[in-house]
Amino acid sequence: MKRENSKLNIKVGGHLGVRNVFFLIILICSQLSFAQSKVSSEIDTTSIKIGEQIKYKITVETDSTDIVHFPEGQTFSPLESVEAIMMDTVKNKNKVTLQRIYALTQFDSGAYTIPPQRIAINEQPFFTDSFQIKVADVVVDTTKQKMFDIKPLIEVEKSYAKIWKMVLWILLTFFIIGGLVYWFFLRKKPLTEEEKEALLPPYDRALLELKKLENSKYLIQDEYKKYYSELTDIVRSYLEEDVNVSALESTTGQLIAKLEMLKDAGDLKLDDETLTQFQNILQTADLVKFAKSKPSTSVAEQDRKLVEQIVVKTHDALPEPTEEELLQTEEYLEELAKKKQRKKIYWAAAIFAGILLFGSGLSIAYYGFKEVKDTVFGYPTKELLEGEWVSSSYGYPPIEIETPDVLIRQDVELPPEAQELIKELQTFTYGSYVGVFSVATSSVTYKEQEDPDFDAAIESTLGTFESFGVKNIITKQEEFTTKSGVQGLKTFGSGNINNPLNDKSKKAKYTILSFGGKGFMQQVMITWEDGDDYAEQIVSRILSNLDVKTQT
């Protein structure tokens, strides 16, 4: 029994021994692979002038199947990486030689140390040597080169180019609409022939219409009914307008009776023969229209001539109008002209309002009500978003930021306890923490070359918010990376602000970005009203273009 167990133990032990040997072989091969990888670095100079560049070269010799990661971003701080160039890869059987050259610079004189750089080969770290660099001042011969004082800050006037452009478009639109309304409704159009005839006095208009009837083709085309209908309408219309007798709706007998009454009253001086001729013409017209009678062409032409004589005699028989009647007629014509003008204005206003409503409806349907309202009546953050932005560098170490307006330098008086720690503080702001929108930057250099205390700085900023009346502050944190790869800390959240005018509370949001290194710290602070879509777009644009420089 013991022998069997012994055999079993030997088998198991032998199995484990083989597996351990297998892993040991893999480990040895792996170590041999890393042992065969070589990493070296060199620089072309150890001394430069301000702004000159150093060529920093890293060479890696390794197996062709290995994965190599070179340094990226601003890992050479306090020197600044300008660009990185990958050289040609050299292959030799299963080996490969990779080279990358970095251009580094510094804009402040002094002695600096380029820290060791981390190169990863198959996730295995390798580190280069550090280098000591001296950056010398540029010597200026003041006997030949005149020195000038630093120019004071100049306030730049805000550009109104975009606003004027929008105003010009609006004015052009109104000008076009106004021109169309004037052309089609308000201007005095050339009168047509019909309109010119309608403006003639009744007597002149009747004679003109009788002349046209003489030149018509009714009699040639055997259209006697139309001929006599038009003939009687002309004379009846004249009598109704000039003699003031209801002639159009009267029968032949009624009309003759009314004319005889006027004659007897002395208001119409006509002889009996003229009235008899007129009665005969009306009766002939009635026979043609209702009994389908057909007089000869000569009789029809003679009737037209008699009607023309009747019109002339009637006009001559009318008494001269008094001054009061002439005045009343003139006032009537003036009032009639005013009514026509008012009608044109009403039509023009209605069309203009219709175009405005139609355009507004289309704009609201396409852009939305809020966008149209804010465009027409204006909204602070919308104007900031669509205005001319300013890209500039603020403070030292510099913060490169793009903002809707220029940030203004602020004079900050440090308390005594802070003066013992802080060498220099530079602050630039736009807006107010309790306003619609604000953005601020601060660059701090310390007297001691120590890492900055982000937590203390953020607590101080939040304390400033509270001093302005911000309550219920919610705080979140996460990492933030600038467009050039500089790592920082993002603190963000929201709070409530009381409006002193109406004692109402509104919700605001904030973002604090913190960067730093040995002996310095940089911060960017942004506040805006919660729910403001334009402010959200402003913040997004600022954060996407933000960059910081880490030289001290």
Side-chain angles (χ1 to χ4, degrees):
M1 190 63 129
K2 290 181 179 180
R3 288 179 180 177
E4 290 178 358
N5 288 339
S6 175
K7 289 179 181 179
L8 182 60
N9 288 335
I10 291 171
K11 288 179 181 179
V12 172
H15 177 69
L16 291 173
V18 171
R19 189 170 63 179
N20 288 338
V21 170
F22 177 72
F23 285 124
L24 182 60
I25 291 171
I26 293 176
L27 181 61
I28 292 172
C29 291
S30 175
Q31 293 296 325
L32 286 173
S33 174
F34 286 121
Q36 291 173 358
S37 299
K38 294 181 181 180
V39 177
S40 61
S41 61
E42 59 180 283
I43 56 176
D44 62 343
T45 181
T46 59
S47 179
I48 61 171
K49 294 180 180 179
I50 291 176
E52 290 183 344
Q53 294 184 359
I54 297 172
K55 302 299 185 198
Y56 187 108
K57 182 168 69 173
I58 299 177
T59 304
V60 177
E61 295 181 10
T62 187
D63 191 87
S64 60
T65 60
D66 293 339
I67 299 175
V68 180
H69 294 281
F70 283 91
E72 298 289 344
Q74 300 294 336
T75 62
F76 299 91
S77 178
L79 268 70
E80 181 179 348
S81 176
V82 179
E83 61 177 340
I85 308 169
M86 176 62 80
M87 303 297 290
D88 293 337
T89 303
V90 179
K91 293 184 178 181
N92 185 11
K93 296 183 180 180
N94 295 331
K95 294 291 182 180
V96 65
T97 301
L98 305 173
Q99 284 187 340
R100 177 169 284 191
I101 296 178
Y102 298 85
L104 311 178
T105 190
Q106 173 57 253
F107 296 97
D108 196 8
S109 61
Y112 299 91
T113 300
I114 301 177
Q117 299 299 305
R118 183 181 183 275
I119 295 92
I121 303 176
N122 292 337
E123 304 302 328
Q124 179 72 19
F126 291 82
F127 293 90
T128 64
D129 295 330
S130 61
F131 296 95
Q132 298 295 323
I133 303 296
K134 289 184 178 180
V135 181
D137 284 325
V138 178
V139 179
V140 179
D141 188 351
T142 58
T143 62
K144 297 180 180 180
Q145 176 69 42
K146 287 186 67 176
M147 303 299 290
F148 301 93
D149 291 335
I150 298 174
K151 291 184 178 180
L153 292 174
I154 299 176
E155 186 173 351
V156 180
E157 293 185 2
K158 185 175 181 180
S159 174
Y160 293 94
K162 190 168 184 178
I163 297 175
W164 276 112
K165 186 176 181 181
M166 183 176 66
V167 171
L168 287 175
W169 273 110
I170 293 174
L171 291 176
L172 181 61
T173 302
F174 278 103
F175 178 78
I176 293 173
I177 295 174
L180 293 174
V181 171
Y182 169 78
W183 181 260
F184 289 104
F185 297 97
L186 300 181
R187 74 181 179 94
K188 291 184 177 179
K189 304 175 187 177
L191 297 177
T192 63
E193 291 298 325
E194 290 78 6
E195 290 173 335
K196 289 179 180 179
E197 291 179 13
L199 294 176
L200 291 174
Y203 173 71
D204 296 332
R205 187 167 65 252
L207 294 180
L208 179 64
E209 290 175 349
L210 288 171
K211 191 67 176 178
K212 285 186 177 181
L213 182 62
E214 182 184 3
N215 298 325
S216 68
K217 297 181 179 180
Y218 291 139
L219 299 179
I220 298 174
Q221 296 173 351
D222 205 22
E223 294 178 348
Y224 285 88
K225 183 177 180 179
K226 289 183 179 180
Y227 179 85
Y228 274 95
S229 294
E230 191 167 327
L231 179 63
T232 54
D233 286 342
I234 292 172
V235 69
R236 284 173 180 271
S237 297
Y238 166 72
L239 292 174
E240 185 147 336
E241 290 183 65
D242 222 2
V243 184
N244 297 321
V245 61
S246 55
L248 292 173
E249 303 299 329
S250 301
T251 62
T252 298
Q254 292 172 343
L255 179 57
I256 297 299
K258 292 176 182 178
L259 292 176
E260 287 178 346
M261 290 176 61
L262 290 173
K263 174 179 172 294
D264 295 338
D267 294 331
L268 184 63
K269 299 177 181 180
L270 284 176
D271 53 34
D272 294 336
E273 183 180 356
T274 302
L275 288 175
T276 302
Q277 290 177 348
F278 185 42
Q279 183 176 11
N280 292 333
I281 293 172
L282 293 177
Q283 289 174 349
T284 302
D286 291 339
L287 291 173
V288 171
K289 289 188 288 185
F290 303 112
K292 295 183 180 181
S293 175
K294 184 178 178 182
S296 63
T297 303
S298 59
V299 172
E301 290 177 350
Q302 184 64 30
D303 286 345
R304 188 204 64 78
K305 291 178 182 179
L306 289 175
V307 167
E308 185 174 343
Q309 293 175 4
I310 292 169
V311 169
V312 173
K313 289 180 180 180
T314 304
H315 177 71
D316 295 338
L318 290 173
E320 293 291 330
T322 63
E323 292 184 3
E324 184 178 354
E325 290 175 340
L326 291 174
L327 183 62
Q328 289 178 352
T329 303
E330 186 177 352
E331 290 177 352
Y332 172 75
L333 293 176
E334 288 181 358
E335 183 63 26
L336 188 62
K338 288 179 181 179
K339 285 183 178 180
K340 289 182 178 180
Q341 187 66 19
R342 282 197 296 268
K343 187 176 181 181
K344 289 182 179 180
I345 293 173
Y346 293 153
W347 270 106
I351 292 173
F352 181 79
I355 293 174
L356 193 62
L357 290 174
F358 181 72
S360 300
L362 286 180
S363 301
I364 292 172
Y366 187 78
Y367 295 103
F369 176 76
K370 187 177 185 303
E371 179 77 15
V372 174
K373 178 178 72 68
D374 294 341
T375 301
V376 174
F377 298 103
Y379 197 81
T381 48
K382 187 177 190 298
E383 294 175 0
L384 287 175
L385 176 64
E386 297 176 351
E388 186 174 352
W389 283 50
V390 178
S391 181
S392 187
S393 180
Y394 299 93
Y396 184 83
I399 299 173
E400 294 181 357
I401 187 171
E402 186 182 19
T403 55
D405 208 336
V406 179
L407 306 187
I408 306 300
R409 182 189 294 271
Q410 304 296 320
D411 295 328
V412 180
E413 186 175 349
L414 296 172
E417 59 272 15
Q419 293 178 5
E420 298 178 359
L421 301 175
I422 297 176
K423 179 180 178 181
E424 187 177 11
L425 169 62
Q426 296 177 333
T427 302
F428 300 82
T429 64
Y430 169 81
S432 168
Y433 290 146
V434 294
V436 177
F437 174 81
S438 75
V439 57
T441 67
S442 65
S443 299
V444 182
T445 54
Y446 299 101
K447 295 180 179 179
E448 301 293 335
Q449 295 294 314
E450 297 179 355
D451 291 330
D453 189 349
F454 285 168
D455 293 336
I458 293 169
E459 286 295 329
S460 176
T461 304
L462 296 178
T464 304
F465 290 168
E466 292 178 346
S467 67
F468 281 104
V470 182
K471 299 179 181 179
N472 303 325
I473 299 177
I474 300 174
T475 301
K476 300 177 184 179
Q477 286 187 340
E478 65 184 20
E479 291 184 355
F480 181 82
T481 305
T482 67
K483 64 179 183 179
S484 65
V486 179
Q487 296 288 333
L489 178 64
K490 178 180 178 182
T491 306
F492 60 100
S494 62
N496 295 324
I497 303 175
N498 288 326
N499 191 334
L501 299 178
N502 53 22
D503 204 22
K504 291 184 179 180
S505 177
K506 65 179 180 179
K507 194 172 183 180
K509 299 175 75 173
Y510 71 91
T511 291
I512 305 171
L513 303 177
S514 304
F515 308 90
K518 295 289 185 182
F520 73 95
M521 184 174 68
Q522 301 150 300
Q523 277 194 324
V524 177
M525 291 146 287
I526 310 173
T527 63
W528 68 98
E529 190 173 347
D530 188 24
D532 188 344
D533 295 334
Y534 307 116
E536 294 284 355
Q537 296 179 53
I538 293 174
V539 175
S540 177
R541 180 172 172 179
I542 290 175
L543 297 184
S544 62
N545 292 287
L546 178 68
D547 203 1
V548 296
K549 303 299 180 183
T550 56
Q551 64 264 24
T552 59

